[in-house]
């Protein structure tokens, strides 16, 4: 079961109801900076994890004063669209409500949010992100758990760009081999990572082990990366079919 750390209590809380009613995921982003984009990214990961678990999710955006600009930058980072909460209201039949906010945000300022499971996201520096290479930014953010601060300096982005390029080249090479199913043991490790408070660094760690560990057919390595990318959203198969 997908569990997240509730910022109100400091303890784990389920992110989905016992019955398969939709979970309403609210990304609360009153500003427009790198931390606001990280809040949206974590909300996107939560929606992806819920869907992989078979739980319908309804993603809404609250609190923002610059929705068009924010949505444009979020789309560049591969974050899927969020509905405008002002236009949609509470929505019918939602089974649970989870709020994703910046660390230190007022958790009671939006319609009784003190009673809502809340995910707190640590800040990003610098405040104005360099989105010249949005995939490198997304990778750099995923390399750190969302409870940890992130420095998006030039060195971090260069490292993320190089690592992502190597991984994509490897995936493209593995795709040239006969497909093999994802081993149950690897699937379980991936799910255990993202179901444990959206542990994206843990998912990336599994992929690193898969890339270098012996005994796996290359076709299985490809399928593992394609499966994990349903959570990560890094376009790992983008270079499949390109010249070696």
């Amino acid at each position: 079961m997908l569990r997240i750390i509730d910022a109100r209590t400091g303890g784990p809380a389920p992110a989905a109801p016992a019955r398969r009613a939709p979970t309403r995921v609210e990304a609360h982003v009153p500003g427009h900076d790198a931390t606001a984009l990280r809040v949206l990214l974590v909300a996107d990961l939560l929606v992806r994890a819920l869907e992989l678990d078979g739980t319908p999710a309804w993603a809404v955006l609250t609190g923002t004063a610059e929705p068009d600009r924010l949505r444009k930058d979020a789309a560049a980072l591969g974050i899927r669209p969020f509905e405008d909460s002002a236009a949609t209201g509470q929505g019918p039949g939602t089974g649970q409500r989870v709020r994703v906010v910046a660390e230190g945000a007022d958790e009671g300022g939006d319609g009784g949010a003190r009673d809502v499971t809340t995910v707190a996201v640590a800040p990003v520096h610098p405040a104005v992100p360099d989105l010249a290479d949005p995939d490198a930014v997304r990778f750099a953010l995923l390399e750190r758990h969302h409870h940890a601060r992130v420095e998006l300096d030039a060195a971090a982005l260069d490292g993320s760009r190089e690592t992502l390029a190597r991984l994509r080249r490897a995936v493209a090479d593995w795709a040239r081999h006969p497909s093999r199913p994802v081993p149950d043991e690897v699937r379980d490790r991936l799910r255990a990572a993202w179901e444990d408070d959206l542990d994206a660094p843990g998912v990336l760690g599994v992929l690193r082990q898969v890339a270098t560990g012996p005994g796996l057919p290359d076709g299985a390595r490809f399928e593992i990366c394609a499966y994990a990318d349903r959570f990560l959203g890094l376009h790992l198969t983008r270079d499949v079919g390109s010249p070696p």
Side-chain angles (χ1 to χ4, degrees), residues 98-191:
V98 179
R99 227 168 158 252
V100 186
V101 303
E103 185 180 273
D106 177 11
E107 296 169 13
D110 183 23
R114 291 189 189 278
D115 299 327
V116 177
T117 301
T118 301
V119 179
V121 178
V124 180
H125 298 283
V128 179
D130 178 2
L131 296 180
D133 188 345
D135 286 353
V137 173
R138 185 177 180 112
F139 190 90
L141 292 174
L142 292 176
E143 282 195 301
R144 298 279 287 171
H145 198 282
H146 62 268
H147 296 309
R149 294 174 179 244
V150 172
E151 293 288 339
L152 284 182
D153 55 22
L157 291 176
D158 285 346
S160 294
R161 186 178 299 110
E162 293 169 5
T163 302
L164 182 56
R166 283 198 303 270
L167 182 55
R168 284 173 171 168
R169 285 195 298 269
V171 170
D173 182 61
W174 296 331
R176 298 184 180 95
H177 297 263
S179 177
R180 294 290 185 270
V182 177
D184 290 341
E185 180 268 338
V186 178
R187 187 186 299 271
D188 290 345
R189 286 163 57 203
L190 289 170
R191 294 188 68 92

Side-chain angles (χ1 to χ4, degrees), residues 4 15-17 21-27 43 46-47 50 55-63 82-100 110-111 116-118:
I4 52 179
T23 292
R24 175 184 169 106
V25 177
E26 297 179 2
L46 177 55
V47 170
L50 287 166
T55 300
W58 183 30
V60 297
L61 180 63
T62 72
F82 283 64
E83 296 186 49
D84 185 349
S85 65
T88 58
Q90 290 299 313
T94 50
Q96 188 155 338
R97 182 180 168 204
V98 179
R99 227 168 158 252
V100 186
D110 183 23
V116 177
T117 301
T118 301

Side-chain angles (χ1 to χ4, degrees), residues 3 26-27 33 44 59 66 73 79 91 97 122 125 131 136 141 146-147 156-157 172 198 203 209 216 224 238 243-244:
R3 292 186 178 273
E26 297 179 2
D33 57 14
D44 181 54
E66 302 178 81
D73 288 348
I79 297 168
R97 182 180 168 204
H125 298 283
L131 296 180
L141 292 174
H146 62 268
H147 296 309
L157 291 176
L198 307 173
V203 173
Q209 294 168 5
L216 273 176
I224 289 165
R238 188 193 68 177

Side-chain angles (χ1 to χ4, degrees), residues 48 135 139 163-176 179 182 207 218-243:
R48 289 170 180 266
D135 286 353
F139 190 90
T163 302
L164 182 56
R166 283 198 303 270
L167 182 55
R168 284 173 171 168
R169 285 195 298 269
V171 170
D173 182 61
W174 296 331
R176 298 184 180 95
S179 177
V182 177
L207 294 190
D218 285 345
R221 297 184 208 270
F222 169 78
E223 295 296 346
I224 289 165
C225 289
Y227 176 64
D229 205 35
R230 294 172 61 187
F231 172 72
L232 296 170
L234 286 169
H235 312 295
L236 296 180
T237 61
R238 188 193 68 177
D239 295 340
V240 170
S242 61

